[in-house]
Amino acid sequence: MRKRLIAGNWKLNGNWALCEQFVDAFASLPAASLEAIKQQADVVICPTAVYLSRFDALIQSTSSILQLGAQDVSTESQGAYTGEIAASMLAESGAGFGIAGHSERRHRFAETDQQVVQKMQNLFAANVLPIVCVGEPIEQREAGSAESFIEAQLLPIATAVAEHGLAERPMAIAYEPIWAVGTGKSATPEQAQSMHAFIRSVMARFMDADSLRIIYGGSVTPENATALMAMADIDGALIGGASLDPEQFVALASV
Ligand code: 13P
């Protein structure tokens, strides 16, 4: 049985007041609801890195069920790399999870597969659970080559996991079709399930993929989340827009 992973990616949004609102929103739930959420899911917020330490202190002092993740990580671990943040620093700041290879990093910042793999390895080395993202552009989906595109993104990830003895370590894959990110046009539960099952079959060539969490991202809302998460291979969600609203995020964590 895979524990669900519900992660909010705030991207370049939010501020300290929003961090406090999220802690308050969960704290105001009845104890039984909080316990039910905690049993079924890891509920993670990925704010910009500057808020991690303070957010973590607030979470600890209020015994919140929230956990923290980083949106990105450096390919380097130390040295003359102005502006970069190492995985060990994110871990020290309270991040238990770290996103690598989000489509916005791959496309807007021209990140390569090789860099994504390095980021994943750095997260593993710092004991930060990697959430590695894959997702096809609309052209591949329309051309019927979405699976081969995703397989090509997965192979460097899976190969590195196998070659570096990481196959037993917990990680997650996020399937975020680019055409569904921020568009309001989510994949259908059937489209997402079909790709998740394919991702599991590819990863199973390199590891025991039964325990691998594969989460869906792309215009997830409280309205479509129930049907998506009812699918056999959808183990949670990576949420952008709807994760900025405490009420909606609480609803998503409670699905
Ligand atoms: P939206 O939920 O806003 O489509 O964003 C998805 C995403 O990119 C999460 O990482």
Side-chain angles (χ1 to χ4, degrees):
M1 184 64 185
R2 296 180 291 268
K3 191 174 190 186
R4 204 175 269 176
L5 172 58
I6 302 293
N9 173 12
W10 283 5
K11 309 187 181 183
L12 188 54
N13 298 297
N15 50 25
W16 176 245
L18 193 67
C19 302
E20 291 183 317
Q21 282 172 34
F22 269 69
V23 170
D24 289 346
F26 279 90
S28 68
L29 296 177
S33 312
L34 278 174
E35 192 52 36
I37 295 174
K38 210 168 126 184
Q39 289 303 321
Q40 78 164 6
D42 285 320
V43 184
V44 179
I45 302 281
C46 305
T48 51
V50 289
Y51 296 117
L52 283 171
S53 284
R54 199 174 169 198
F55 207 161
D56 185 49
L58 181 61
I59 285 170
Q60 301 305 330
S61 69
T62 56
S63 304
S64 174
I65 67 162
L66 288 173
Q67 301 180 64
L68 291 177
Q71 297 176 13
D72 187 28
V73 60
S74 182
T75 54
E76 305 299 329
S77 31
Q78 61 171 28
Y81 302 100
T82 302
E84 290 290 276
I85 306 177
S88 60
M89 298 168 182
L90 295 169
E92 268 199 315
S93 304
F97 297 78
I99 300 171
H102 191 280
S103 61
E104 287 151 17
R105 301 292 321 173
R106 290 178 187 262
H107 293 270
R108 301 179 82 123
F109 299 91
E111 272 184 16
T112 63
D113 283 334
Q114 196 188 2
Q115 287 172 313
V116 174
V117 165
Q118 186 61 53
K119 289 179 178 206
M120 173 188 75
Q121 285 177 217
N122 292 1
L123 291 169
F124 272 125
N127 284 320
V128 177
L129 190 150
I131 302 173
V132 187
C133 302
V134 295
E136 82 282 2
I138 189 68
E139 293 79 13
Q140 267 71 25
R141 169 66 51 176
E142 286 177 347
S145 53
E147 286 192 354
S148 55
F149 186 92
I150 296 297
E151 184 172 14
Q153 282 189 326
L154 286 172
L155 288 178
I157 297 162
T159 306
V161 165
E163 279 178 2
H164 294 92
L166 300 165
E168 308 279 309
R169 301 273 303 274
M171 67 176 291
I173 299 284
Y175 171 57
E176 297 206 313
I178 295 170
W179 45 271
V181 171
T183 59
K185 189 180 177 301
S186 168
T188 64
E190 294 72 23
Q191 282 174 320
Q193 164 58 28
S194 160
M195 188 61 88
H196 281 224
F198 176 72
I199 291 170
R200 200 176 303 285
S201 74
V202 173
M203 297 304 284
R205 290 166 18 207
F206 299 85
M207 58 161 64
D208 170 13
D210 284 344
S211 57
L212 177 68
R213 288 188 283 189
I214 305 175
I215 64 176
Y216 169 78
S219 299
V220 175
T221 63
E223 288 71 42
N224 60 26
T226 307
L228 284 162
M229 282 188 261
M231 294 300 189
D233 289 288
I234 302 185
D235 305 315
L238 184 56
I239 305 140
S243 77
L244 292 167
D245 180 317
E247 213 173 295
Q248 288 194 50
F249 194 67
V250 165
L252 285 160
S254 313
V255 162

